[in-house]
Amino acid sequence: MKKQQKEKKRRFFLLITFLFFSSFATSKTLKKVNYQDISIVGSELFSIDDIVANSSLNFTTPLIFVKTTYTEKELKKNLSLKKVSVIRQIFPFGLKILIKTRTPIAYGEMIFKGKKIAGFVDEDGFFINKKYSDQVNLKKLSSKVFGWKENFRETLSKILNYQKYNDIEFNTMTFSPNGFLTLEEKSLKTILLGFNPKIIESQLQVINDIKKQIMGTNILKKIDNIDITDPNNPKIKVFKP
């Protein structure tokens, strides 16, 4: 009998405890997120003002109603982030924002609403706004990208990664307003690639082959430009004497 009474008391205590914490947790999730309730982990580049200015997050929203997935997408796009996670927390109360930034490997410029925006490009071809970039060791950057657009990203990624593993050094990668791609290679100078991103791998291989064949020859000094718009029929234009 005593054992049954103890068991009843234990169950009652557990029920009361559960109800208390459930009520407490519910009240916390309905509490509105404020400025001091946001913590940023992973980067010192960004302030809470940056987070608020580049997302739909506001301080009239209860914690439970914060759209974490949507906020992540906004911040990733607007702050040029590689990864971002927005986590609701009850203990301690608030939002924890985990950030992983992109690493610049080339200078970059893009045109947005008629204005030139300076920044950088990472190995995946993503544009990083200058004010949201980690500018440590930027003096080592030797490549420049002009005319960046979102639909050029994959092409840029292939170029930047190709030169990383081959004896090729592109000083500039320039997209004209209509998308014509021109490269400037350290030794080969001007290289015309054209409009077709689907053949970029073949074009890069041709560039590498040409450089291996003519390095150390007199031809190198005479080159005006190399036309590889058709990788099956590359053309080398030399200066007229």
Side-chain angles (χ1 to χ4, degrees):
M1 192 72 176
K2 289 183 178 181
K3 188 175 181 180
Q4 290 179 342
Q5 289 178 340
K6 286 182 178 180
E7 182 63 23
K8 286 182 179 180
K9 287 181 180 179
R10 189 182 72 84
R11 290 179 180 177
F12 179 75
F13 176 76
L14 290 174
L15 178 61
I16 294 299
T17 303
F18 173 76
L19 291 174
F20 171 78
F21 280 108
S22 295
S23 177
F24 178 75
T26 300
S27 66
K28 281 286 187 180
T29 59
L30 292 175
K31 182 181 176 182
K32 294 178 181 178
V33 177
N34 213 323
Y35 194 94
Q36 70 271 12
D37 301 321
I38 300 174
S39 61
I40 303 171
V41 179
S43 176
E44 297 180 355
L45 288 174
F46 306 102
S47 66
I48 296 175
D49 288 333
D50 292 325
I51 299 299
V52 174
N54 288 279
S55 70
S56 55
L57 184 66
N58 61 70
F59 299 132
T60 62
T61 306
L63 179 66
I64 196 172
F65 294 127
V66 173
K67 299 177 180 178
T68 54
T69 302
Y70 184 70
T71 303
E72 289 168 356
K73 290 179 180 178
E74 289 179 312
L75 294 175
K76 187 175 182 180
K77 178 181 178 181
N78 296 336
L79 297 179
S80 306
L81 299 174
K82 193 174 185 69
K83 291 182 180 179
V84 58
S85 296
V86 179
I87 304 169
R88 299 188 195 94
Q89 291 187 154
I90 296 177
F91 306 105
F93 174 82
L95 287 176
K96 178 182 284 189
I97 301 176
L98 308 178
I99 285 175
K100 184 174 182 180
T101 58
R102 296 186 179 279
T103 303
I105 64 170
Y107 290 96
E109 289 182 2
M110 65 175 290
I111 303 298
F112 182 71
K113 294 182 179 180
K115 294 183 179 180
K116 182 174 71 175
I117 298 176
F120 306 95
V121 177
D122 77 343
E123 65 179 4
D124 296 319
F126 282 93
F127 187 84
I128 309 166
N129 193 302
K130 188 175 182 179
K131 64 180 179 178
Y132 298 134
S133 63
D134 186 353
Q135 300 188 31
V136 177
N137 300 321
L138 289 185
K139 292 181 180 179
K140 297 179 181 179
L141 302 184
S142 58
S143 296
K144 298 178 181 179
V145 177
F146 298 105
W148 184 95
K149 289 182 181 179
E150 177 64 31
N151 55 319
F152 302 148
R153 186 183 61 75
E154 187 175 348
T155 298
L156 279 172
S157 178
K158 290 177 180 178
I159 295 171
L160 292 167
N161 281 282
Y162 190 87
Q163 73 171 358
K164 186 165 60 174
Y165 299 107
N166 293 274
D167 188 21
I168 297 287
E169 187 176 343
F170 298 116
N171 296 326
T172 64
M173 291 149 267
T174 304
F175 293 92
S176 69
N178 62 356
F180 190 97
L181 175 59
T182 303
L183 306 180
E184 289 287 334
E185 205 277 330
K186 185 176 181 181
S187 301
L188 301 178
K189 307 304 179 185
T190 304
I191 303 171
L192 309 176
L193 296 189
F195 298 100
N196 191 354
K198 295 181 180 179
I199 58 174
I200 188 64
E201 290 96 339
S202 300
Q203 292 173 316
L204 291 171
Q205 185 60 55
V206 171
I207 294 171
N208 197 29
D209 292 341
I210 290 175
K211 186 171 183 179
K212 287 179 180 178
Q213 291 173 19
I214 66 176
M215 280 301 291
T217 68
N218 290 329
I219 298 175
L220 194 62
K221 297 178 181 179
K222 299 178 181 179
I223 293 177
D224 180 22
N225 66 65
I226 302 175
D227 186 340
I228 315 181
T229 51
D230 179 2
N232 295 314
N233 185 30
K235 301 174 183 176
I236 298 178
K237 182 180 179 181
V238 297
F239 290 107
K240 293 181 180 179

